Amino acid sequence: MVEPDLIRAAQSGDRDALITLLREIETHVYRTAYYILNNEQDAMDAAQEALIRIYTKIGSYEEKAQFKTWIQRIVTNICIDKFRRNKPTVSIDEHEMVFHEKQNVEDEVMTAYAVQDIRSAIDKLPEHHRAVVVLRYLQDFSYNEIADSLDLPLNTVKSYLFRARQQLQTLLHEYQKGGVRG
């Protein structure tokens, strides 16, 4: 992800290195915030807050943890705080669907509905379950990286993921039966 030399240079006060570092991670930070908050404006606010916190706290980063898990912990904590302050709201975003002549329109529509329903099901999860699902399945973090990022015991991460999968299975029951959203 980020070169260790760049991190060390940023920690030693090299302003150019710090700016380069922040530019390298900003997309990752925003993507994580968006996956957790599911709202573009909130994600932009959370990402900005996370980048500022990383900027001011880079000196406290210790190489005991991976840099990406250190960043992830900051972003996730900010998102959870924001989520608690704002309480969840339903976002009704219009997404333009572009159909291509050679593709099966019905398949595209069904895929779009499936993605929307999966995103909706993830949004209905409790915040701690949502965070582990986002980190595991959308950010491809290992269980240990999730535990480090969220400052949780490894068994708690496994438990949260198990419960989250059960909840998602219940929420997405119609797809398992081959049902269609109406």
XYZ file of all heavy atoms in Angstrom, residues 36 72 76 80 122 125-136 146 150 161:
164
model
N -19.139 2.290 4.846
C -19.726 2.231 6.183
C -20.936 3.151 6.302
O -21.970 2.768 6.838
C -18.678 2.571 7.262
C -17.608 1.475 7.310
C -19.335 2.726 8.636
C -16.435 1.777 8.202
N -7.207 2.294 9.031
C -8.563 1.748 9.060
C -9.217 1.986 10.412
O -10.404 2.286 10.482
C -8.510 0.247 8.759
C -9.808 -0.299 8.297
C -10.237 0.303 6.978
O -9.474 0.366 6.032
N -11.453 0.764 6.904
N -12.656 4.024 10.611
C -13.811 3.295 11.137
C -14.354 3.954 12.397
O -15.567 4.124 12.544
C -13.444 1.827 11.410
O -12.934 1.254 10.198
C -14.646 1.037 11.862
N -18.076 5.416 12.801
C -18.994 4.936 13.839
C -19.468 6.102 14.697
O -20.658 6.193 15.019
C -18.324 3.824 14.677
C -18.219 2.549 13.828
C -19.108 3.550 15.957
C -17.402 1.442 14.449
N -27.040 -4.716 4.229
C -25.852 -4.341 5.009
C -26.154 -3.104 5.849
O -25.758 -3.017 7.009
C -24.632 -4.120 4.090
C -24.180 -5.456 3.494
C -23.480 -3.460 4.854
C -23.121 -5.335 2.416
N -27.789 -3.736 9.236
C -27.017 -4.392 10.291
C -26.662 -3.391 11.385
O -26.481 -2.205 11.104
C -25.715 -4.972 9.719
C -25.841 -6.104 8.716
C -24.461 -6.451 8.154
C -26.485 -7.326 9.339
N -26.515 -3.865 12.626
C -26.015 -2.982 13.680
C -24.626 -2.464 13.272
O -23.891 -3.148 12.556
C -25.915 -3.889 14.906
C -26.781 -5.061 14.610
C -26.809 -5.211 13.115
N -24.272 -1.282 13.749
C -23.038 -0.637 13.278
C -21.788 -1.494 13.461
O -20.920 -1.517 12.592
C -22.857 0.720 13.945
C -22.697 0.645 15.441
C -22.843 1.983 16.123
O -23.820 2.704 15.850
O -21.971 2.292 16.933
N -21.679 -2.232 14.567
C -20.473 -3.042 14.772
C -20.433 -4.221 13.802
O -19.376 -4.617 13.343
C -20.350 -3.498 16.232
C -21.548 -4.199 16.769
N -22.675 -3.534 17.187
C -21.801 -5.522 16.941
C -23.572 -4.419 17.603
N -23.072 -5.622 17.466
N -21.584 -4.782 13.445
C -21.618 -5.858 12.458
C -21.331 -5.299 11.066
O -20.631 -5.926 10.270
C -22.972 -6.561 12.461
C -23.193 -7.407 13.683
N -24.406 -7.983 13.964
C -22.384 -7.770 14.708
C -24.329 -8.664 15.091
N -23.103 -8.545 15.565
N -21.895 -4.141 10.777
C -21.670 -3.518 9.473
C -20.186 -3.243 9.264
O -19.637 -3.496 8.199
C -22.452 -2.213 9.362
C -22.283 -1.565 8.008
C -22.919 -0.216 7.872
N -24.196 -0.160 8.532
C -24.886 0.944 8.702
N -24.403 2.087 8.246
N -26.026 0.946 9.319
N -19.517 -2.742 10.302
C -18.096 -2.412 10.184
C -17.270 -3.652 9.830
O -16.415 -3.595 8.939
C -17.591 -1.781 11.477
N -17.519 -4.780 10.493
C -16.721 -5.974 10.201
C -17.056 -6.536 8.816
O -16.165 -7.029 8.124
C -16.843 -7.065 11.294
C -16.265 -6.594 12.615
C -18.241 -7.573 11.458
N -18.308 -6.448 8.391
C -18.687 -6.917 7.055
C -17.995 -6.065 5.990
O -17.434 -6.588 5.022
C -20.226 -6.900 6.865
C -20.613 -7.040 5.399
C -20.869 -8.000 7.691
N -18.021 -4.753 6.168
C -17.375 -3.855 5.204
C -15.881 -4.151 5.126
O -15.317 -4.281 4.039
C -17.632 -2.374 5.578
C -16.699 -1.449 4.820
C -19.084 -2.009 5.305
N -15.242 -4.275 6.276
C -13.801 -4.521 6.272
C -13.459 -5.888 5.675
O -12.492 -6.018 4.925
C -13.233 -4.406 7.684
C -13.287 -3.005 8.293
C -12.758 -3.027 9.721
C -12.515 -2.007 7.451
N -14.252 -6.897 5.972
C -13.946 -8.247 5.498
C -14.273 -8.427 4.021
O -13.458 -8.901 3.241
C -14.726 -9.287 6.327
C -14.488 -10.709 5.890
C -13.076 -11.172 6.229
N -12.858 -12.500 5.712
C -11.817 -12.837 4.972
N -10.893 -11.956 4.701
N -11.688 -14.051 4.527
N -8.839 -6.902 10.813
C -10.077 -6.320 11.328
C -9.966 -6.134 12.834
O -10.319 -5.074 13.367
C -11.301 -7.208 10.978
C -11.502 -7.268 9.465
C -12.559 -6.671 11.666
C -12.505 -8.336 9.024
N -10.242 -2.420 14.474
C -11.364 -2.057 15.347
C -11.019 -2.204 16.820
O -11.872 -1.962 17.676
C -12.589 -2.909 15.000
C -13.126 -2.757 13.583
C -14.303 -3.682 13.354
C -13.513 -1.314 13.302
N -18.838 -11.408 12.647
C -19.015 -11.822 11.258
C -20.028 -12.963 11.147
O -20.865 -12.965 10.242
C -17.677 -12.246 10.644
C -16.815 -11.106 10.146
C -15.416 -11.597 9.807
C -17.445 -10.434 8.941
